[in-house]
Amino acid sequence: MGSRSASFLPTLSVVVVLSVWEFASRYLGISAHILPAPSVFCRSLVENAPILTRSSLITLQAIGVGFGVGAVAAIPLGFSIGLSPALERSLYYVIVLLNTLPKVALAPLLVVWFGHGLVSKVVLIAIGAFVPVLVDSIAGFKYLDRRLLYVSRSAGASLFQTFLFIRLPAALPHIVSGLKTSLIIAVTVAIVVEYVAATDGLGFVAMRAVTNDDLPLVFATITVGTLIGFGVNAVMSVVEWLLLPWKGA
Amino acid sequence: MARKGLDFVLGVCLAVALATGSASAADKVKFTLNFAADPGHAAYIYAQKQGYYRDAGIDLEIEQGRGSGSTVQLVAAGQTDVGLADAGVIVNLAARGAPVKIIGIIEQLSSWAVIVREDSPIKTPKDLEGRKLGVVPGTAQRALLGAMAGAQGVDVAKIDIVNFDAAASLSMLGEGRVDAVIDVPDIMFPRLKDRGIPVRALYMRDFKVPLVSMSLVVTEKMLQERPDVVRRFVAATLKGIKATMENPAAAVSALLEVYPDAGKRDAALFTVTERAKNNYCAPDSVGLGLPSQKYLDASYEVMTKFMGVSSDKPFSAYFDTAYLPNPPLVCATK
């Protein structure tokens, strides 16, 4: 009963919200130019399926590459900083700066430097994805139970063996947590940067729909963007389950 | 017989080689629009579809843009070869050191207007006093209002100016939250018609605000290194403009074939027809791409007085007419 209600209640709440929305749009005279009913933007979702699919693939490519670049750069750096207090002190302000940087404001500059297209998006998404993975990687590699190191050293483990069997497994939960956070940030940054400065992708479709006064398409795009968020989160949960089976994710 | 067959094969080979050679010899040009493709860009897409650029030996790539400022910066940074941007924006950036020049003024008349509901008591700019007028901050709208007010003796301080985002323009006017907005009627009218809101426009150009608008821009480096390409590009583009003025429906078809999301056909046809009738040739225009000196001077005065453009240099410092067709391509309609 418990597990059944656990899956039933969220579905019910979504159905209730959509029903109230549909009713309000139809019977309270709310214009489709202000708030289109779910049935209206679902129709737009179907009618615009080809362009939404094509644009989603473009956005997903940018997310994949940008997130990959950010994560690949962050994890080794996190390892180095986690093991070197001097490096941590040296780079502290750089990391804080990167974290507080208003990233979307960089978009027009990146367009001038790299043009419209994948590179500008990837750079911005990578910057957005980099910091959470870095911070969690530092924490993961830094805060290790010292007794584990004593044991491995007394057992004669090499540095590589210590890394592979002690440090990495201990840091993995933190790293995966950082990856999950940064993946959602990557989705948001991708769509926002496409809305603001790109000439393709899901955000660009939303921008075009706004300028064409096509609100159903705007909502259809938001729906697809949300589904992408859910999708990548689900993929990351599978990765987490594979990497950390003991967590039972 | 065998000799004839050999000649035929050699002939075919030569023809293929020549065709391939001429195709590979075409000059590659990247052309960035001022914004995402919309009906205002139909002429360029049509010119490409008609093969005007190919015939001019140009292998053209058209890229959508994200605002005139961004396009001019892309041109200045060498990310693109030619840009389409608002003349005021180009001059402003050039005056601040961007190494760019206008090589042709495509829209000699701007489309900006004060848009009011059909039944509005606002008949002249003076009637705006005491009314709510919606403008988008950071755009040319506020400057143009100043120019129109100056020319028509309107006290801007007496107008209740409401700032909002460009996307809200339709809703603000449609729901009566403002009495008027400053926008582009050839884009706005079909959308307002869709909402069942009858409107009319007081065009800035009819109230002593002459203003050149969309123009072609390149770097000074490109003018030095590829002058012939620039000349051929301008000629092909103006040929496309002329063809669009003569057949707006065909231009719309070309646009929607390449960019199906550029708008609905009826609305796009309205925009393209209006632009063809009203925007490409100012009164006394020398030809497509080149307004009269008197009109240019008047436009520049609006830019320097109301749009923050420095008046240190004459307009000719920013506009090189040497790349326009000679003799000029005369305006086809109107």
Side-chain angles (χ1 to χ4, degrees):
Chain A
M1 180 64 192
S3 68
R4 194 181 281 180
S5 66
S7 62
F8 172 73
L9 286 175
T11 313
L12 180 69
S13 64
V14 170
V15 170
V16 168
V17 168
L18 289 176
S19 303
V20 170
W21 183 349
E22 182 75 31
F23 176 84
S25 301
R26 277 173 187 251
Y27 300 106
L28 299 183
I30 299 173
S31 162
H33 292 290
I34 294 176
L35 185 68
S39 59
V40 174
F41 70 76
C42 281
R43 199 178 313 131
S44 177
L45 198 66
V46 174
E47 285 169 358
N48 293 293
I51 191 166
L52 288 171
T53 307
R54 202 166 51 244
S55 302
S56 298
L57 291 174
I58 291 169
T59 304
L60 276 168
Q61 183 194 22
I63 292 167
V65 179
F67 171 74
V69 169
V72 164
I75 295 170
L77 187 63
F79 173 70
S80 309
I81 293 173
L83 267 57
S84 165
L87 196 61
E88 184 179 10
R89 278 195 299 276
S90 310
L91 294 177
Y92 178 76
Y93 288 110
V94 177
I95 296 166
V96 171
L97 180 80
L98 274 177
N99 200 23
T100 52
L101 199 69
K103 293 156 196 77
V104 175
L106 283 179
L109 281 178
L110 292 171
V111 167
V112 173
W113 295 337
F114 303 113
H116 295 297
L118 187 63
V119 177
S120 298
K121 289 191 224 175
V122 164
V123 171
L124 209 61
I125 294 166
I127 294 172
F130 176 77
V131 177
V133 181
L134 178 69
V135 170
D136 279 348
S137 299
I138 294 171
F141 287 115
K142 190 175 173 184
Y143 302 110
L144 178 68
D145 189 341
R146 294 281 148 192
R147 288 172 298 182
L148 289 170
L149 291 176
Y150 296 144
V151 171
S152 68
R153 206 173 296 155
S154 58
S158 67
L159 280 176
F160 180 69
Q161 285 170 324
T162 307
F163 171 78
L164 197 62
F165 298 113
I166 305 289
R167 288 192 185 278
L168 189 59
L172 260 181
H174 293 271
I175 294 172
V176 170
S177 165
L179 289 172
K180 282 177 91 170
T181 307
S182 68
L183 194 52
I184 294 302
I185 290 174
V187 174
T188 310
V189 171
I191 292 176
V192 171
V193 75
E194 284 173 348
Y195 191 98
V196 174
T199 55
D200 56 10
L202 215 49
F204 179 69
V205 173
M207 185 282 299
R208 288 210 69 138
V210 168
T211 53
N212 284 339
D213 196 29
D214 187 351
L215 250 65
L217 182 54
V218 174
F219 276 85
T221 313
I222 292 169
T223 306
V224 175
T226 308
L227 290 176
I228 286 179
F230 273 121
V232 297
N233 200 42
V235 170
M236 203 59 227
S237 294
V238 173
V239 172
E240 184 179 25
W241 178 75
L242 289 171
L243 290 174
L244 311 167
W246 63 88
K247 274 190 77 182
Chain B
M1 184 68 188
R3 177 65 195 262
K4 269 189 183 172
L6 186 63
D7 285 351
F8 176 76
V9 171
L10 283 174
V12 169
C13 290
L14 187 64
V16 169
L18 282 173
T20 315
S22 65
S24 63
D27 294 289
K28 284 192 179 298
V29 173
K30 188 171 174 184
F31 176 36
T32 302
L33 304 175
N34 62 311
F35 201 67
D38 66 31
H41 302 122
Y44 315 103
I45 314 299
Y46 189 42
Q48 191 178 33
K49 178 115 192 299
Q50 292 294 88
Y52 297 156
Y53 294 106
R54 188 185 58 233
D55 294 347
I58 288 171
D59 178 9
L60 187 73
E61 178 197 347
I62 295 180
E63 178 188 52
Q64 302 185 82
R66 294 305 304 267
S68 283
S70 164
T71 297
V72 179
Q73 285 175 324
L74 284 172
V75 172
Q79 293 284 352
T80 188
D81 298 310
V82 188
L84 179 73
D86 185 80
V89 174
I90 301 170
V91 171
N92 224 337
L93 288 171
R96 286 193 273 146
V100 294
K101 272 213 155 86
I102 295 171
I103 49 164
I105 295 170
I106 303 296
E107 292 185 20
Q108 299 179 10
L109 291 144
S110 82
S111 302
W112 292 106
V114 174
I115 301 175
V116 297
R117 295 176 78 115
E118 184 69 58
D119 56 359
S120 166
I122 299 170
K123 309 280 185 202
T124 67
K126 189 76 180 163
D127 297 334
L128 286 169
E129 290 179 1
R131 312 261 177 202
K132 282 186 180 175
L133 173 68
V135 297
V136 180
T139 64
Q141 299 177 8
R142 189 68 180 77
L144 288 168
L145 172 66
M148 189 173 76
Q152 298 294 315
V154 178
D155 186 352
V156 177
K158 289 183 181 168
I159 302 174
D160 184 2
I161 292 173
V162 180
N163 293 314
F164 56 71
D165 182 71
S169 196
L170 287 167
S171 300
M172 295 295 278
L173 187 64
E175 290 156 29
R177 282 191 273 169
V178 291
D179 299 302
V181 294
I182 296 181
D183 215 304
V184 178
D186 60 33
I187 297 280
M188 288 278 282
F189 276 18
R191 292 174 187 171
L192 286 160
K193 193 179 161 195
D194 260 6
R195 293 187 176 203
I197 303 165
V199 283
R200 56 191 165 77
L202 310 177
Y203 284 92
M204 298 272 180
R205 58 181 179 241
D206 296 336
F207 291 98
K208 296 183 184 170
V209 186
L211 189 64
V212 289
S213 180
M214 286 303 141
S215 303
L216 300 173
V217 59
V218 296
T219 55
E220 288 164 359
K221 188 177 171 214
M222 175 129 178
L223 291 179
Q224 284 159 13
E225 293 176 357
R226 304 169 78 193
D228 186 50
V229 175
V230 173
R231 206 165 276 121
R232 282 184 276 135
F233 175 86
V234 173
T237 303
L238 295 182
K239 200 174 165 187
I241 298 289
K242 187 161 182 157
T244 301
M245 291 168 84
E246 288 162 359
N247 193 351
V252 169
S253 297
L255 172 78
L256 295 180
E257 196 180 303
V258 182
Y259 298 104
D261 53 345
K264 293 177 187 164
R265 174 169 288 278
D266 288 353
L269 185 58
F270 178 80
T271 307
V272 175
T273 308
E274 286 294 302
R275 294 266 164 113
K277 274 196 296 188
N278 302 317
N279 291 52
Y280 297 132
C281 288
D284 306 321
S285 165
V286 178
L288 289 175
L290 183 60
S292 68
Q293 191 55 49
K294 189 179 159 198
Y295 184 81
L296 279 177
D297 292 341
S299 286
Y300 194 46
E301 197 181 331
V302 170
M303 287 183 203
T304 52
K305 271 191 178 171
F306 300 103
M307 299 176 78
V309 172
S310 160
S311 58
D312 292 349
K313 295 177 185 171
F315 190 69
S316 57
Y318 307 110
F319 181 24
D320 196 334
T321 59
Y323 301 88
L324 288 161
N326 190 13
L329 207 57
V330 292
C331 294
T333 61
K334 198 158 184 200

